[in-house]
Amino acid sequence: MKETAFTIAFMLFIALGAVAQNAHCGTSEKMQELFGADPSLAEKRKGIEEFTARWTAENQMNVNRDVVTIPVVVHVVYNTPLQNISDTQIQSQIQVLNEDYRGQNADISGVPSVWTNLVADCEIQFALATCDPNGYATNGITRTQTDVSSWNGSDDVKKTALGGHDPWPTSDYMNIWVCNVGSGILGYAYQPGVSASLDGVVIGYKYFGRPSQSSTYNKGRTSTHEIGHYFNLDHPWGTGTDNINCTADDNVADTPITEGPNYDCDVSFPHITCSNGPNGDMVNNYMDYGDDPCIFFFTNGQKARMLAAINGPRQSLLNSNGLNQCPLGLEEHVLESSINVYPNPVSDALFVQSDQRENLLADIRIIDLSGREILNRANVRLGHAATSLDVSQLSAGTYVLEIRSQRELLTHKFNIIR
C-alpha cells in the first residue's frame, strides 16, 4: 500500500511538473489558426514583412528619434475576486514595460558580456489612456465581471456579447485583456495584419504586474514578451513552436538561430543549438521562454523591427487621441423617453426604469469621477419592470450612470452612502 501511494504521488508530481513546463506563449498557435481561417492573411503578412525589410534598411543609421508613447487600455475580465487585479497591479505592469522597453530594468546587468553591445533602448514607452473612445476622461482600465471561469485560449474574451469586453478602437489604443486565459497559455498577441476585432494582447491574470501571483513568471515579463509579438517580433526559433531542423529564423540579424524555446532558469551559458556557437542561444532575450528573472533584454535588431511596425502597420497609434486630457462627461443629458433612476443616495441597489410601452434597448455603464469604468452592461432591456444594478461593493462617493440607446444618451450623477 505504501509503495502504491508513493507511486501515485510521484506520478502526480511528474504530471504537475509537466504542466508547469508546458506553460507557454500562445502566439504561434493563434497566428497559425488565423492563417488557416483567413487565406488573405498570408498576403497581408507578406506585405508587412516587405515593408519591414525596406524600412529597417533605410533607417538603420537614424539614431536621433523621439521616444514613442503608446496609449494602452487594460480590460480586466474576471470571474473571481482574485482575477480582478487592482489598479496598483496594473500600474506596476506599465512601469515594467517602460523599464524593459527603454533598457532601464535593474537586472539588465545580467546580460552576458558577449551581447552587451547589442542591448537596445527601444525608445518605446507606454501610458494608460486618459481619454476614452467617447471623449470622456478615463484611467485606461475597464472591469467586466463574467460568468466564464476560463476562456480556454479563446478570443471570446474580446466580445462583450459572450461575457468579455469589446476592444476599444485598435487604431487608437493597444488593447490588453487580463483574464483567466486557460489552456496552459501565459498570454498571446496577434502580429500586425489581423482584423480589428481580434487585434491586441491577452495576458493571464496570474502573470500581470510585479510582483504577480506566479512564483516564476513574477516580474511582468509575460507582457513584455507578448507586446514584442504585437510589434511584429517572432520567437528566436521563428514562427513555429520549435525549429528542430534549424531552417527557420526570426528575421533579426543579431539574434542567433535556435532550435527551440529555453525554459526555466537552468540553461547554462553557452547553450549551443543549430550550430550557433560560440555564444549559442540568446537565452536571456525577452522573446525566449525563460522564467521572468532570467530574461533581460531586446537587441538593436529587434528594436528596428518594432519601430518599423510603429511606423508602418501600427502607425495610427501615433495619431491617437487616447492620451489627451478629456472632460469627465458629467453633464446631465435627458432621454426623450422618461427614465427613472432611484434611489439617490443609494447603498445597495440602483434601479433603472423606463415608461416606454416597448422595452428600450440600451448600454449601461457606471464610472467614477476619475473616469474609471466600474460597470459595463450591453444590450439591457429597460421597461416598466425596474432593472437592478448592484452597487453594494462600491465605496462611498459620487458616480456617473451612463445610459446610451441607439438615438439618445443619459448621464446621471448619483451618490453611494455607507
Side-chain angles (χ1 to χ4, degrees):
M1 178 67 74
K2 288 184 178 179
E3 290 182 359
T4 301
F6 174 80
T7 301
I8 292 173
F10 180 74
M11 292 178 66
L12 180 60
F13 173 80
I14 295 297
L16 291 173
V19 170
Q21 176 77 357
N22 290 331
H24 64 285
C25 161
T27 295
S28 295
E29 293 92 332
K30 299 295 286 186
M31 288 297 295
Q32 289 304 313
E33 287 177 12
L34 281 193
F35 281 124
D38 180 6
S40 68
L41 180 58
E43 193 64 26
K44 293 177 185 175
R45 290 290 302 154
K46 179 182 176 183
I48 289 170
E49 286 304 311
E50 290 172 350
F51 170 84
T52 300
R54 185 169 60 252
W55 190 92
T56 53
E58 293 172 353
N59 291 273
Q60 60 181 336
M61 301 304 295
N62 181 10
V63 295
N64 296 315
R65 300 185 183 93
D66 293 330
V67 175
V68 174
T69 304
I70 304 299
V72 178
V73 56
V74 175
H75 305 293
V76 181
V77 182
Y78 65 98
N79 177 254
T80 67
L82 193 64
Q83 297 171 12
N84 188 21
I85 61 173
S86 68
D87 288 4
T88 300
Q89 188 74 6
I90 293 169
Q91 290 156 0
S92 76
Q93 181 63 74
I94 299 299
Q95 182 178 350
V96 168
L97 294 175
N98 288 335
E99 292 171 3
D100 290 353
Y101 277 78
R102 294 303 311 277
Q104 296 175 357
N105 48 302
D107 53 4
I108 203 167
S109 59
V111 176
S113 59
V114 296
W115 291 321
T116 53
N117 64 318
L118 302 178
V119 174
D121 170 1
C122 296
E123 299 175 298
I124 302 170
Q125 60 190 19
F126 303 84
L128 290 169
T130 54
C131 193
D132 76 8
N134 295 317
Y136 293 156
T138 179
N139 66 347
I141 301 168
T142 72
R143 295 184 183 275
T144 303
Q145 189 166 15
T146 183
D147 293 332
V148 180
S149 59
S150 172
W151 295 95
N152 296 318
S154 168
D155 286 307
D156 289 349
V157 71
K158 302 172 184 177
K159 300 174 183 178
T160 299
L162 297 179
H165 196 292
D166 291 340
W168 287 8
T170 55
S171 57
D172 296 322
Y173 305 88
M174 182 177 74
N175 286 258
I176 301 177
W177 288 265
V178 179
C179 62
N180 187 20
V181 183
S183 296
I185 296 174
L186 302 174
Y188 65 92
Y190 285 114
Q191 293 173 303
V194 304
S195 67
S197 63
L198 295 177
D199 200 13
V201 181
V202 179
I203 306 293
Y205 73 95
K206 292 181 180 179
Y207 318 113
F208 199 79
R210 178 181 63 195
S212 71
Q213 298 176 31
S214 168
S215 61
T216 52
Y217 305 104
N218 56 359
K219 299 184 72 172
R221 264 57 190 274
T222 297
S223 296
T224 301
H225 176 106
E226 299 305 341
I227 290 169
H229 288 309
Y230 174 85
F231 288 127
N232 207 31
L233 294 187
D234 286 316
H235 299 128
W237 54 92
T239 59
T241 55
D242 57 43
N243 185 29
I244 295 175
N245 296 323
C246 298
T247 56
D249 191 11
D250 62 354
N251 294 311
V252 177
D254 59 6
T255 59
I257 296 175
T258 66
E259 188 176 275
N262 295 286
Y263 292 93
D264 306 323
C265 289
D266 299 331
V267 181
S268 59
F269 175 85
H271 178 63
I272 298 173
T273 66
C274 291
S275 302
N276 59 13
N279 301 326
D281 294 1
M282 195 173 275
V283 297
N284 304 121
N285 191 277
Y286 288 130
M287 299 312 293
D288 208 321
Y289 275 9
D291 292 349
D292 280 15
C294 305
I295 52 177
F296 315 128
F297 72 109
F298 290 115
T299 69
N300 289 310
Q302 290 172 319
K303 168 185 176 178
R305 273 186 69 85
M306 289 193 283
L307 290 180
I310 290 172
N311 285 276
R314 301 264 182 228
Q315 189 176 38
S316 62
L317 293 172
L318 301 178
N319 302 314
S320 170
N321 293 322
L323 297 177
N324 289 356
Q325 292 301 119
C326 288
L328 291 176
L330 299 183
E331 298 84 0
E332 298 274 356
H333 300 276
V334 180
L335 291 169
E336 293 174 6
S337 54
S338 176
I339 294 286
N340 298 315
V341 180
Y342 62 90
N344 190 11
V346 58
S347 58
D348 296 317
L350 188 69
F351 295 95
V352 183
Q353 189 175 32
S354 170
D355 68 354
Q356 285 194 338
R357 292 182 180 178
E358 297 182 358
N359 286 344
L360 176 71
L361 192 64
D363 296 334
I364 295 178
R365 70 174 188 155
I366 294 175
I367 60 176
D368 65 18
L369 294 187
S370 71
R372 182 168 68 103
E373 184 177 85
I374 306 298
L375 176 145
N376 190 320
R377 290 175 58 181
N379 298 321
V380 178
R381 292 191 177 276
L382 302 177
H384 290 299
T387 296
S388 174
L389 304 175
D390 182 10
V391 296
S392 61
Q393 301 303 309
L394 301 185
S395 302
T398 302
Y399 296 81
V400 178
L401 174 70
E402 179 185 281
I403 303 173
R404 184 184 296 271
S405 73
Q406 186 174 4
R407 296 179 297 118
E408 306 167 298
L409 171 68
L410 166 77
T411 53
H412 177 83
K413 284 181 286 187
F414 66 95
N415 296 306
I416 294 177
I417 57 175
R418 292 281 177 254

